[in-house]
Amino acid sequence: MTITLPPYEDVTARFEPVIGLETHVELGTRTKMFCGCPTGFGAEPNTQVCPVCLGLPGSLPVANAAAIEATIRIGLALNCTIASWCRFARKNYFYPDMPKNFQTSQYDEPLCTDGYLDVEVDGRPVRIDIERVHLEEDTGKTLHVGGATGRIHGATESLVDYNRAGIPLVEIVTRPIPGTGADAPAVARAYVTELRDVIRVLGVSDVRMEQGSLRCDVNTSLNRPGDQWGTRTETKNVNSLRSVERAVRAEMLRQAAVLDAGERIVQETRHFHEETGDTRPGRSKETATDYRYFPEPDLVPLAPDPEWVARLKTELPELPRVHRARLQQAWGLSDLDMQAVLNAGAVELIERTVAAGSSPEGARKWWLGELARRANEAGVDLSTVGATPADVAELQSLVDAGRLNDKLARTVLEGVLAGEGTPSEVMAARGLEVVSDTGALGAAVDEAIAANPDVAAKIREGKVAAAGVLVGAVMKTTRGQADAKAVRELILSRLGVQ
Amino acid sequence: MTDLIRLSAADLAGAIARGEASAVEATRAHLDRIAEVDGQVAAFLHVDEAGALAAAERVDRARAAGEELGPLAGVPVAVKDVLTTRGVPTTAGSKILEGWRPPYDSTIVQRLRAAGTVIVGKTNMDEFAMGSSTEYSAYGPTRNPWDLGRIPGGSGGGSAAALAAYEAPLAIGSDTGGSIRQPGAVTGTVGAKPTYGGTSRYGLIAFSSSLDTPGPCARTVVDAALLHAVIGGHDRRDSTSIPQPVPEVVAAARRGATGDLSGVRLGLVSQFSGEGAEPGVMAAFGEALERLTKLGAEVVEVSCPHFEYALPAYYLIAPSECSSNLARFDGVRYGLRVGDDGQRSLEEVMSLTREAGFGPEVKRRIIIGTYALSSGYYDAYYGQAQKVRTLITRDFTAAFERVDVLVSPTTPFVAFPFGSRTSDPYQMYLADLFTIPTNLYGGPAISVPCGLSDGLPVGFQIMAPTMADDRMYRVAAALESAVGTLTPPAL
């Protein structure tokens, strides 16, 4: 069936979206959730395993205290209520990447409930309600060999790596988010971005979507104004912030087309496809899986000491929103300027550049100007453009000291991006320093005056603006390596104007 | 020393410590006995002759080097095949684990090794500890040394029969609904279920996690207490393990053996007045109660009104947990794999493996448990059973405000003939009528021989409050001193 998608503006004019997000965060604890195995990424398959995380007969789990603490801190940062007593539960279903054929998770007694996260979309605040934050174990990874799809159907062989099995996983579930209209995709992205930043500042996970330590499922439904909420779909395989936005938008368009055709939305799990930007059906939920949840009898209930929780709350670091407001004030930026910094993803880069000694203005100029342009050209993230905050701070200090002018600084930066070394090294290697030797400069000035007697005469008569011609001549003979301002002053003093 | 196999564990350990017998001699004697009689009894699924002799040699070397030996060093132990033993086959009585050699030792086995005991082999059991007769073992039943035509109890019939047949003086069992105590009762041996959490479950292949309790089996009460002290105590690998020292069970047993029970109040549960129990069993129980009164104990009748719901609650909770615990046996990682012909799907291979690997009783319980946990039925079954469990716990707590221990027959009937209860699961389940309430409560209980009915042993059960395991050992040892140990006819 080929569906013609309606224009987005048309969809948001006729339908109201309701979105919801389920986010999984792999905690960066040293050991796994229920055993002492290491959690490092990228080890040889099945080398970080033991009887417990392989689910061998007789083995038993013991909960990782550091993971519980990290989950409570996430809950506190998301303004949740922390349960005074709760339990783990078993979620039963058969799949070869689950060594026990049940996942130890939480069900009706999550560790954290009823919180919220405030985000901003184009400068407007949006409050996202958090339903729950709970703790569970990750599954192993399955690799299906042979067959066309890379999925289990049609594969000739399936390989399972249990290194990931048992890594602590925090699931953060929002309440349904209605009322965002055409902004729904941007709200979804803003939420995941803010959540990522909150978790990063807590230091409990490296939250890298490309490595799967932050994974996101997006729920979307559409309804006509005044109608009840529509049937929702769950979109998986959303592996970047950009994909979060695209997936919501794609699903809104698809559902609108289905509804326009007079058909019903099927409640199902869909997969987002990065290359095509559309969603396609995955595992059907029409035969609803009954997970037969029941309290995990191998683990004692969790009863966090209220005093400990209170202490964790007072010890939370400054959260990104507060942090950003403080930086904006310290850097003296307008809301609009700060928004530009945020949109460029340059907050942390500028902050680190300032910490390395640069002025805020200088740091912002480089990151949002020349470097943003080059990152854009190369199609890479600003943070991986090839210059470090320390490089930028050094470059700016050379400019501030008068050793580089703007033009030279850009040339030096080019060298830095090309991997030729630090700004000082590039400057020295390429011989780009401003000529500050007054003897050499004086000679160049005298030469320019002698070569342009008529211009010199005009200047002596008081037509100071004509000095530009002589400055240009001097810059040419010094190959740009002179400080234009100093050259101008030298010319004026030689001609007795000053 | 001519008859090492007839000695109690305490006496055998003493003889080894004094150098009157070597650990190797003791081990050899028991291995010889196993070779001689196990063809008839079938208590063992696996005999680890090399491992046993190596362990015994280590004890003898340690003694020769002047090292201090533990109280059970050099004593042979038979381990129920539900506990993992590193490199030694562990099947839980199931075809689905045939040939599996665990890469790790259970905590109980680690402690047995550390104490210098000698593990002679793995004993037969009902598949995954589900049953009361060992008839549900995938490897054939064990026979009761008192009458080879009768069951040795279950699920730990192999461990109990090994004791009664003098194949080992000590054994390990596991008790989910009576699997240590009921085999003890019908073989005339002693079986103790410790407080839940008093012995580690790490490495115990799970049947019902909230009920399973490993514990000691022996021919005398003091031996059981000595073994209890070796295997008990906190284990950080088991989250449900109680972080407290083992109660003073050995001292309590020795004190009870002096035959003085003055000041001890025994609670007679009115709900266990004998309905459904064989008259011979009730007669032996009544006589034992009289003996205890003569030793100074006071008998008080107490009411535990919710005990009558224990059996149905148990047969919802245990199957529910088992349906989840046994899900891991799917042929993917270890054990049996059936139908993997490169054509069939993963799901088909999992199904065929489980179809072929599990016996009928295990399947019955997985199906019951899967149903009881299903969405829409959970509250009516699993949820309701948990409420009954709370009420039964309250019955125990209230009773222990009035009495020190509760007493009852261990099992309503003596060892029954093979095949007499396999056609009706409910008749089999009744074997655990008196033992199940304790498992739901979590307290300790012990079965000690109290006499014979028609020439077959009758067990006397003593139930104590949680972490008061010492109390039951004291009463059990006193009864043993009055009754004496029972000796089965020669094989």
Side-chain angles (χ1 to χ4, degrees):
Chain A
M1 179 176 70
T2 317
I3 299 176
T4 312
L5 297 178
Y8 186 68
E9 295 70 25
D10 182 43
V11 169
T12 57
R14 293 185 294 116
F15 294 99
E16 291 175 350
V18 179
I19 55 171
L21 294 111
E22 280 181 32
T23 312
H24 285 94
V25 176
E26 262 185 15
L27 294 179
T29 48
R30 198 173 49 78
T31 57
K32 290 188 179 179
M33 186 61 228
F34 297 117
C35 64
C37 285
T39 55
F41 181 80
E44 279 289 301
N46 298 312
T47 55
Q48 298 178 348
V49 293
C50 74
V52 177
C53 58
L54 284 177
L56 292 189
S59 66
L60 291 175
V62 177
N64 180 337
I68 292 164
E69 179 175 313
T71 308
I72 291 175
R73 291 178 70 226
I74 291 173
L76 291 170
L78 298 177
N79 308 289
C80 288
T81 304
I82 309 303
S84 56
W85 190 91
C86 69
R87 287 182 290 191
F88 287 99
R90 290 188 186 177
K91 181 180 182 178
N92 295 287
Y93 64 102
F94 282 84
Y95 206 74
D97 63 10
M98 279 206 312
K100 298 167 291 187
N101 284 324
F102 63 77
Q103 181 188 29
T104 304
S105 178
Q106 293 194 283
Y107 180 49
D108 52 356
E109 298 164 332
L111 194 45
C112 320
T113 52
D114 301 320
Y116 60 87
L117 180 64
D118 288 328
V119 303
E120 279 183 25
V121 176
D122 290 335
R124 280 179 297 101
V126 182
R127 174 159 292 187
I128 309 294
D129 288 327
I130 307 289
E131 183 181 300
R132 57 188 283 147
V133 177
H134 81 237
L135 186 53
E136 61 189 27
E137 60 181 335
D138 210 344
T139 60
K141 270 187 193 164
T142 318
L143 181 68
H144 302 296
V145 185
T149 58
R151 314 192 73 87
I152 192 162
H153 293 292
T156 53
E157 205 173 7
S158 294
L159 303 171
V160 196
D161 175 8
Y162 292 106
N163 283 351
R164 198 180 69 177
I167 288 184
L169 204 56
V170 172
E171 181 173 315
I172 301 155
V173 184
T174 69
R175 290 195 186 286
I177 308 162
T180 57
D183 283 342
V187 167
R189 180 179 184 158
Y191 165 74
V192 180
T193 308
E194 186 71 13
L195 183 64
R196 180 197 64 180
D197 292 349
V198 165
I199 290 166
R200 185 182 287 154
V201 77
L202 291 173
V204 297
S205 168
D206 58 6
V207 279
R208 294 171 72 158
M209 288 187 94
E210 73 279 10
Q211 285 189 359
S213 59
L214 176 68
R215 309 200 278 272
C216 193
D217 301 341
V218 183
N219 291 333
T220 313
S221 72
L222 289 185
N223 59 275
R224 293 196 168 82
D227 283 2
Q228 291 206 316
W229 291 352
T231 303
R232 68 182 166 84
T233 59
E234 182 182 10
T235 306
K236 291 182 180 291
N237 197 36
V238 184
N239 296 330
S240 70
L241 292 173
R242 189 162 161 263
S243 294
V244 171
E245 190 165 356
R246 291 172 76 209
V248 173
R249 191 183 158 102
E251 195 50 20
M252 285 169 66
L253 291 172
R254 186 193 68 86
Q255 290 189 13
V258 171
L259 293 171
D260 282 344
E263 289 170 30
R264 290 155 49 94
I265 303 297
V266 179
Q267 182 170 341
E268 63 185 350
T269 300
R270 301 182 67 85
H271 288 268
F272 180 68
H273 291 265
E274 199 83 47
E275 335 67 68
T276 51
D278 64 352
T279 73
R280 290 175 217 164
R283 185 176 51 181
S284 168
K285 278 205 172 173
E286 279 169 57
T287 51
T289 312
D290 184 347
Y291 292 122
R292 307 190 311 280
Y293 282 101
F294 73 106
E296 166 59 276
D298 282 334
L299 290 164
V300 287
L302 297 179
D305 175 12
E307 279 181 32
W308 176 58
V309 173
R311 187 162 54 77
L312 290 178
K313 189 169 187 176
T314 61
E315 288 169 2
L316 283 182
E318 185 179 57
L319 295 179
R321 238 171 92 80
V322 180
H323 186 64
R324 286 196 302 267
R326 190 167 60 75
L327 290 180
Q328 184 181 347
Q329 183 153 24
W331 296 346
L333 298 184
S334 68
D335 287 353
L336 207 63
D337 286 345
M338 190 65 192
Q339 196 59 47
V341 171
L342 287 172
N343 290 347
V347 177
E348 199 190 330
L349 293 166
I350 294 175
E351 196 183 1
R352 284 167 53 198
T353 307
V354 171
S358 167
S359 67
E361 189 47 42
R364 190 167 68 96
K365 186 190 71 187
W366 286 113
W367 286 111
L368 263 58
E370 188 68 10
L371 288 166
R373 191 177 63 77
R374 286 180 174 274
N376 200 32
E377 275 172 14
V380 298
D381 201 71
L382 195 53
S383 61
T384 56
V385 72
T388 65
D391 291 335
V392 175
E394 189 183 333
L395 188 67
Q396 183 59 34
S397 77
L398 292 171
V399 172
D400 290 343
R403 297 178 66 187
L404 290 176
N405 58 28
D406 264 13
K407 186 163 172 293
L408 287 171
R410 265 193 276 274
T411 311
V412 168
L413 184 58
E414 214 171 73
V416 171
L417 295 179
E420 294 170 22
T422 66
S424 300
E425 289 163 2
V426 173
M427 184 177 75
R430 292 204 191 179
L432 291 172
E433 190 165 1
V434 166
V435 177
S436 54
D437 176 342
T438 45
L441 208 53
V445 166
D446 290 343
E447 196 183 308
I449 290 172
N452 299 281
D454 46 338
V455 178
K458 278 184 189 168
I459 295 169
R460 284 200 188 89
E461 286 161 20
K463 288 182 182 166
V464 182
V469 177
L470 297 184
V471 172
V474 173
M475 293 306 280
K476 198 171 174 187
T477 53
T478 58
R479 291 184 299 126
Q481 278 175 264
D483 179 12
K485 205 173 149 208
V487 170
R488 183 186 164 86
E489 274 170 18
L490 199 55
I491 291 166
L492 295 180
S493 86
R494 288 283 164 100
L495 296 175
V497 180
Q498 234 169 4
Chain B
M1 303 300 298
T2 50
D3 220 358
L4 292 172
I5 60 165
R6 306 269 163 186
L7 293 179
S8 70
D11 289 347
L12 182 58
I16 292 167
R18 289 189 300 273
E20 295 161 16
S22 71
V24 169
E25 282 167 350
T27 301
R28 185 87 271 166
H30 285 92
L31 290 171
D32 289 349
R33 174 69 176 177
I34 292 169
E36 181 194 342
V37 302
D38 209 54
Q40 300 172 67
V41 179
F44 286 87
L45 291 176
H46 180 84
V47 178
D48 185 17
E49 180 168 335
L53 288 170
E57 280 164 15
R58 275 194 295 278
V59 171
D60 288 336
R61 276 200 302 274
R63 186 183 171 278
E67 290 172 32
E68 198 175 326
L69 300 181
L72 292 176
V75 178
V77 185
V79 175
K80 188 177 179 183
D81 205 31
V82 73
L83 286 150
T84 61
T85 38
R86 187 183 176 123
V88 175
T90 303
T91 67
S94 180
K95 281 281 178 221
I96 211 158
L97 273 178
E98 189 164 20
W100 184 56
R101 290 172 186 261
Y104 76 107
D105 273 338
S106 52
T107 295
I108 298 280
V109 165
Q110 277 178 22
R111 290 183 181 179
L112 288 175
R113 294 194 201 283
T117 64
V118 173
I119 296 171
V120 288
K122 308 294 291 290
T123 56
N124 195 19
M125 55 187 282
D126 287 294
E127 185 177 5
F128 286 106
M130 300 173 196
S132 305
S133 67
T134 73
E135 290 168 291
Y136 294 134
S137 167
Y139 302 96
T142 296
R143 293 182 199 87
N144 193 326
W146 286 80
D147 178 345
L148 295 173
R150 290 174 187 265
I151 59 103
S155 64
S159 282
L163 298 172
Y166 299 99
E167 294 172 285
L170 297 173
I172 300 292
S174 69
D175 193 312
T176 305
S179 284
I180 288 175
R181 291 163 286 162
Q182 183 260 2
V186 300
T187 58
T189 58
V190 178
K193 172 216 168 310
T195 296
Y196 178 83
T199 42
S200 170
R201 290 186 296 116
Y202 190 76
L204 173 74
I205 297 176
F207 160 19
S208 178
S209 307
S210 72
L211 301 164
D212 295 343
T213 314
C217 311
R219 285 191 299 263
T220 74
V221 174
V222 167
D223 282 1
L226 286 166
L227 186 55
H228 188 145
V230 162
I231 62 172
H234 182 243
D235 176 16
R236 59 181 182 79
R237 289 179 177 275
D238 177 359
S239 159
T240 60
S241 163
I242 297 171
Q244 284 177 34
V246 186
E248 295 289 343
V249 291
V250 176
R254 295 223 158 98
R255 182 179 173 202
T258 63
D260 178 13
L261 286 181
S262 46
V264 175
R265 288 163 305 166
L266 311 178
L268 190 61
V269 182
S270 47
Q271 281 73 15
F272 289 167
S273 59
E275 207 179 318
E278 291 173 352
V281 167
M282 291 316 291
F285 173 70
E287 278 172 36
L289 212 51
E290 258 175 54
R291 289 177 192 268
L292 293 174
T293 316
K294 281 181 189 150
L295 298 177
E298 180 192 347
V299 178
V300 181
E301 188 159 320
V302 293
S303 177
C304 295
H306 300 97
F307 277 21
E308 63 176 296
Y309 305 110
L311 199 67
Y314 174 88
Y315 276 101
L316 288 167
I317 292 169
S320 294
E321 293 183 3
C322 113
S323 72
S324 175
N325 283 329
L326 270 57
R328 72 191 65 195
F329 301 102
D330 59 9
V332 172
R333 288 159 300 271
Y334 43 77
L336 185 72
R337 182 186 289 182
V338 175
D340 184 14
D341 57 3
Q343 300 298 315
R344 290 195 174 92
S345 73
L346 176 74
E347 206 165 299
E348 286 170 317
V349 172
M350 282 183 172
S351 291
L352 288 169
T353 299
R354 291 167 68 81
E355 168 68 34
F358 289 139
E361 181 61 22
V362 169
K363 283 178 189 160
R364 174 164 28 241
R365 296 197 197 192
I366 289 173
I367 291 167
I368 291 171
T370 302
Y371 184 77
L373 288 177
S374 297
S375 153
Y377 298 96
Y378 179 92
D379 290 340
Y381 295 123
Y382 189 76
Q384 196 72 2
Q386 290 293 2
K387 287 179 192 165
V388 169
R389 192 169 185 176
T390 302
L391 293 172
I392 286 170
T393 299
R394 285 187 196 157
D395 281 357
F396 271 106
T397 310
F400 288 132
E401 280 170 15
R402 297 182 54 209
V403 298
D404 299 304
V405 294
L406 296 176
V407 295
S408 75
T410 305
T411 178
F413 27 81
V414 294
F416 47 86
F418 286 112
S420 62
R421 289 177 189 266
T422 40
S423 56
D424 181 353
Y426 187 68
Q427 286 303 310
M428 188 72 88
Y429 296 169
L430 282 177
D432 295 333
L433 189 64
F434 300 146
T435 46
I436 277 174
T438 300
N439 294 85
L440 293 172
Y441 158 60
I446 192 169
S447 177
V448 59
C450 70
L452 299 176
S453 167
D454 292 334
L456 292 168
V458 175
F460 187 97
Q461 178 179 227
I462 303 147
M463 297 165 269
T466 50
M467 287 312 275
D469 306 45
D470 48 336
R471 284 191 205 172
M472 69 185 189
Y473 278 103
R474 181 183 169 195
V475 177
L479 182 59
E480 183 184 63
S481 74
V483 174
T485 52
L486 304 183
T487 306
L491 283 165

